[in-house]
Amino acid sequence: MNFRPFRDTNIAEVGLGTWQLGSADWGTVDQDAALNILQAYVDAGGNFIDTADVYGMGVSEQLIGKFLKTAGHEIHVATKLGRRGDHENGWPQNFSYEAMKKQTEESLQHLGLKQLFLQQLHCIPTEELRSGEVFDHLRRLQSEGLIKHFGASVETSEEALICLKQEGLASLQMIFNLFRQHVADEIFAKAKEKGVALIIRVPLASGLLSGKFKEDTSFANNDHRNFNANGDQFNAGETFSGIEFKEGIKLSTAIKTLLPDERMAQWSIRWILDHPEVTTVIPGASKVNHVQSNVEASPLDPLSNETHKALRELYDSKIKDQIRGHY
């Protein structure tokens, strides 16, 4: 595993996303399987785990907390707040300091930690980002020692640019993959200039860029790749990066022909890591072999300039116009 700087420490360039471990939107992952996934990631040299309070309404955080008790070495855990609807007034109205502190304290309790390595806003409304009060609240939580760093997970480049104006912002979490290449043009140089880490989510487009799906592949009823395939429940961009599933199968096949060999998932992650502004990629996993596959991208040699050029030409001519949802 290779590492990249995040403020005053180094984190694994292939992290672990744990939305799956909440057993709410990716089918069901039982406790033993979840703990095995976490162990496999750490065994591979990983030290950065991303979660959120809404992943199973605390289930993912609690499983990570259970794992941390026996992890054996330091793990940097990032979580997110802002999408829960069970506090007074609820999503998307309540972003008071009191609500954010309560959610942070509950995440700390779930995780069994005294301080969060990274607390992130979780794709909250644009107007809340623009007003800036939520960042004042995060700075207050930081001054109180509840969080070490703060960042924001965003849906659009506009939101990313708003966040980059905030003093003390440690990270931006964004969708960036072979189905969403233009983000690099709009954000990456500005993030580097500000010293803001880039955490890349949905790197495999909900599995489309693994090369393992077919047009007749089906998903469980409680899997967002079933119930949100067309953005019926939340932003379509979070599922298959906003690409219609059957069209995504065709586009994935075209991408695969441009890669060095059959290891599509690994090369898709490697393509992201070839961008030096990226700090870490956080693919999820519902099985141990998914973790093992993902981390194999770290030691791969960079893709050639010719391959990067061909992949961008395909994106500009065939893919970008297919994106749905707000981005």
Side-chain angles (χ1 to χ4, degrees):
M1 179 73 75
N2 293 316
F3 296 80
R4 300 189 182 192
F6 185 110
R7 294 287 166 145
D8 58 351
T9 191
N10 293 307
I11 64 173
E13 64 180 10
V14 178
L16 178 66
T18 59
W19 188 5
Q20 287 88 337
L21 304 193
S23 291
D25 299 307
W26 290 83
T28 301
V29 178
D30 66 36
Q31 177 174 288
D32 288 344
L35 294 174
N36 287 337
I37 287 166
L38 292 164
Q39 188 64 56
Y41 174 67
V42 171
D43 288 346
N47 72 346
F48 182 74
I49 297 173
D50 179 83
T51 186
D53 56 6
V54 291
Y55 294 168
M57 292 304 293
V59 171
S60 177
E61 288 182 331
Q62 290 166 348
L63 284 167
I64 294 167
K66 182 179 179 68
F67 173 74
L68 291 177
K69 293 178 181 179
T70 59
H73 63 84
E74 186 176 18
I75 306 297
H76 303 296
V77 179
T79 193
K80 299 182 283 290
L81 61 76
R83 295 197 68 87
R84 288 175 59 172
D86 59 331
H87 286 290
E88 184 179 0
N89 299 322
W91 161 268
Q93 294 86 14
N94 190 1
F95 294 98
S96 66
Y97 163 76
E98 289 76 16
M100 289 175 61
K101 182 176 182 180
K102 183 176 182 180
Q103 291 170 58
T104 297
E105 289 175 336
E106 289 176 358
S107 289
L108 285 167
Q109 183 179 8
H110 291 159
L111 292 163
L113 297 172
K114 293 182 179 179
Q115 183 185 61
L116 294 176
F117 175 72
L118 176 65
Q119 177 65 289
Q120 303 161 98
L121 302 171
H122 196 176
C123 300
I124 69 173
T126 308
E127 57 268 25
E128 294 290 344
L129 297 173
R130 190 175 286 115
S131 77
E133 290 185 4
V134 286
F135 294 101
D136 291 335
H137 302 334
L138 288 169
R139 281 186 277 266
R140 183 174 173 184
L141 293 172
Q142 187 179 45
S143 71
E144 293 170 346
L146 293 176
I147 64 176
K148 186 173 184 180
H149 304 293
F150 65 85
S153 181
V154 298
E155 297 281 11
T156 70
S157 291
E158 176 192 13
E159 291 169 351
L161 292 171
I162 291 169
C163 294
L164 284 171
K165 296 177 182 178
Q166 290 292 331
E167 192 68 32
L169 186 80
S171 64
L172 274 175
Q173 186 175 138
M174 303 188 69
I175 299 173
F176 178 62
N177 57 45
L178 286 163
F179 287 157
R180 196 70 70 88
Q181 298 184 33
H182 70 278
V183 173
D185 307 336
E186 300 170 346
I187 302 301
F188 282 21
K190 294 180 177 65
K192 182 179 180 181
E193 179 184 348
K194 294 282 188 176
V196 173
L198 290 173
I199 300 171
I200 304 304
R201 72 175 187 275
V202 199
L204 297 178
S206 309
L208 265 180
L209 290 169
S210 70
K212 296 179 180 179
F213 296 162
K214 299 179 181 179
E215 287 192 7
D216 60 355
T217 298
S218 61
F219 303 98
N221 289 337
N222 63 337
D223 190 319
H224 73 103
R225 293 172 294 184
N226 177 11
F227 64 76
N228 196 60
N230 295 308
D232 294 330
Q233 299 295 318
F234 44 84
N235 181 20
E238 298 289 348
T239 305
F240 304 129
S241 290
I243 303 295
E244 191 275 326
F245 181 71
K246 290 185 178 179
E247 186 64 28
I249 296 294
K250 297 174 185 176
L251 293 170
S252 295
T253 300
I255 288 170
K256 196 170 186 177
T257 66
L258 301 176
L259 300 175
D261 55 46
E262 296 296 311
R263 295 175 291 176
M264 187 174 187
Q266 291 91 335
W267 288 119
S268 294
I269 295 173
R270 181 68 253 175
W271 176 87
I272 297 171
L273 294 174
D274 285 352
H275 295 78
E277 301 89 349
V278 167
T279 302
T280 186
V281 181
I282 51 169
S286 56
K287 298 178 181 178
V288 166
N289 67 296
H290 295 166
V291 178
Q292 295 166 339
S293 170
N294 294 335
V295 300
E296 287 173 4
S298 181
L300 289 177
D301 290 333
L303 291 162
S304 68
N305 291 335
E306 291 77 14
T307 298
H308 274 277
K309 182 179 178 181
L311 288 166
R312 183 55 189 258
E313 289 174 350
L314 176 65
Y315 177 75
D316 289 336
S317 63
K318 302 290 185 182
I319 299 175
K320 187 177 181 181
D321 290 344
Q322 303 287 337
I323 302 172
R324 304 171 300 171
H326 47 283
Y327 62 93

